[in-house]
Amino acid sequence: MSERQLKAWQDAGLIDAGTAGRIREWEAAHHRPLGLWAIIGLGALAIGLGIVSVVAANWDAISGETRLAIHFALMVGLAGLLWRYLPDAAAKNDYFNDGALFVAAVLGLSFFGHIGQVYQTSSPLWQPLLVWLVIFSPLLLLFGRGWPVAGLWLAGVLGTAWSHADEYGRGWLWGQSMPQPAWPTLYWGLIATPPMAVAALAAFMRGRSDRPGFWRLLEQLAMIVILTGVSIAIIAGGWDSGTHHVVGSAVIRSLALAGTAAVIWAFRQGRSGQATAGILAVAAVLHVAQALLLGVEGATRGPWIGALFFLLLWSAVAAGALFARWRRLFQGAIALLALRIIILSFELNDDLLGSGAGLILSGAFAMAVAWGTVRISRRYAPAERNGE
């Protein structure tokens, strides 16, 4: 803590001279030499890079079976350390706990890739990812405490679903004729639902686990993925081909969003749970409504329809954030709304004069929105609440 900040607090009457002195003493006793730790970290990084360089230089000279044996031995050794020290480490140091879990999970994930390299297997990516999830999910979910483990596990879930969908969906990007699943409506509906399932699981476990912070992080990450996915679907709605299974798959995804909202509403009583459930409910309605409008020709193909759905979604996010007193999310949502309105002004004005006038009006509107956002957030969302 800086001396300047302490003096400012003391001058403002928030702390007295005695309290400021005790804070200085505590900071001096717990001061960490960042420069020394930085040098130690650079030294460790240099050693690690040197080991990697030595191994890489002699990679071809080492037989595949030997490399796999060394890799497997590292995994077994780390598993033994986790078995012996993980309970104590979890109680003492969350960073060490999550660091060990993260390294173990990454070693396991890379082991499958190593097998594919040695034996030249041609299995699709989703198969080793699914096996990795089955093996490591119990370890990560039972002992994880922070965002590294939560993010890695959720990335594994999303990567498995994405790589499986890539077998059928990449042809859409390149205009190729790709094989389609047996039931395309059901498949394209369910393949996008893992984030909803993760959010519902996390909401259910938050009040039933001794690690509520971990499940809160996992729920927040899943919500970020959901909102990002729905936003991308709204933005890319005009590019959709309008095939016959679009509406049906959108209905399935909307039902998943609504089901997640119901789970969160039931198991997370309070402003935070109500706000999250409300945002998901609005997203469900908007998603299926947009799918229904995709089949309507004419005005629904204009730029304003996508902008309208985007504005409605993030207005709901802003309202929910204000209700739950999430100041940063409220300000971020308002910023996205202002940015989307500015982009819309360019989309609706083709000539230079119209674009210039629209830009001036949009800029003035954005400044007014920013001023109003700060005023509203200070009054109705004064601070973040750690437990929410």
Side-chain angles (χ1 to χ4, degrees):
M1 180 175 294
S2 67
E3 184 66 27
R4 179 181 177 183
Q5 191 174 21
L6 275 177
K7 188 176 184 304
W9 287 358
Q10 190 174 348
D11 292 342
L14 299 177
I15 58 176
D16 54 22
T19 302
R22 288 192 295 272
I23 292 176
R24 292 188 187 95
E25 293 176 0
W26 190 91
E27 289 288 340
H30 295 80
H31 175 69
R32 295 183 178 182
L34 296 181
L36 178 61
W37 281 107
I39 294 175
I40 294 174
L42 288 174
L45 178 62
I47 294 173
L49 290 176
I51 294 174
V52 171
S53 298
V54 171
V55 173
N58 299 277
W59 187 256
D60 293 334
I62 305 173
S63 65
E65 289 77 9
T66 302
R67 297 199 306 265
L68 286 175
I70 295 174
H71 197 155
F72 186 75
L74 289 174
M75 293 172 55
V76 172
L78 186 55
L81 290 176
L82 289 175
W83 179 269
R84 174 65 180 83
Y85 295 107
L86 188 60
D88 294 335
K92 295 178 180 179
N93 193 315
D94 289 352
Y95 295 104
F96 178 80
N97 172 81
D98 273 22
L101 288 175
F102 188 90
V103 172
V106 171
L107 275 176
L109 183 61
S110 60
F111 184 74
F112 292 107
H114 199 171
I115 292 176
Q117 181 190 45
V118 171
Y119 294 105
Q120 299 296 318
T121 60
S122 58
S123 60
L125 179 60
W126 65 268
Q127 292 182 0
L129 285 176
L130 181 61
V131 174
W132 177 83
L133 276 177
V134 172
I135 294 175
F136 282 90
S137 289
L139 179 67
L140 298 179
L141 295 181
L142 288 175
F143 295 99
R145 290 181 174 271
W147 64 266
V149 171
L152 178 64
W153 184 78
L154 182 59
V157 173
L158 298 178
T160 303
W162 181 276
S163 59
H164 193 284
D166 187 58
E167 293 187 8
Y168 304 108
R170 59 186 172 185
W172 175 80
L173 297 175
W174 305 103
Q176 300 173 354
S177 177
M178 300 294 294
Q180 289 297 307
W183 298 282
T185 298
L186 185 64
Y187 177 82
W188 292 114
L190 293 178
I191 198 66
T193 59
M196 295 74 143
V198 171
L201 172 66
F204 175 78
M205 291 298 299
R206 278 179 67 169
R208 291 164 175 77
S209 171
D210 59 349
R211 298 167 293 117
F214 172 77
W215 295 106
R216 178 174 63 87
L217 283 172
L218 192 58
E219 182 185 339
Q220 290 174 347
L221 291 173
M223 283 296 299
I224 291 172
V225 173
I226 291 171
L227 290 176
T228 302
V230 175
S231 299
I232 293 175
I234 289 174
I235 294 172
W239 307 337
D240 197 279
S241 60
T243 54
H244 66 281
H245 57 77
V246 168
V247 175
S249 60
V251 169
I252 294 174
R253 292 190 291 268
S254 294
L255 288 175
L257 288 169
T260 304
V263 171
I264 293 176
W265 181 277
F267 293 103
R268 287 224 295 117
Q269 301 294 327
R271 284 178 173 265
S272 176
Q274 293 171 2
T276 305
I279 292 171
L280 289 173
V282 172
V285 173
L286 292 177
H287 186 58
V288 71
Q290 185 191 28
L292 292 173
L293 287 176
L294 284 176
V296 180
E297 300 295 336
T300 57
R301 297 296 178 181
W304 64 271
I305 190 67
L308 175 61
F309 277 88
F310 189 91
L311 294 175
L312 289 174
L313 173 65
W314 284 97
S315 294
V317 174
L322 192 62
F323 176 76
R325 296 185 178 181
W326 298 326
R327 169 183 268 191
R328 294 180 182 176
L329 180 58
F330 173 71
Q331 294 176 346
I334 295 299
L336 284 177
L337 291 172
L339 179 62
R340 187 64 186 93
I341 291 174
I342 293 175
I343 295 174
L344 182 63
S345 69
F346 284 103
E347 294 174 340
L348 296 179
N349 293 279
D350 297 329
D351 61 300
L352 183 61
L353 179 61
S355 297
L359 184 60
I360 293 173
L361 292 175
S362 298
F365 173 78
M367 293 175 65
V369 167
W371 179 81
T373 300
V374 173
R375 299 276 296 184
I376 293 173
S377 61
R378 283 179 177 175
R379 180 172 181 180
Y380 296 103
E384 299 279 355
R385 298 197 290 184
N386 296 330
E388 297 296 321

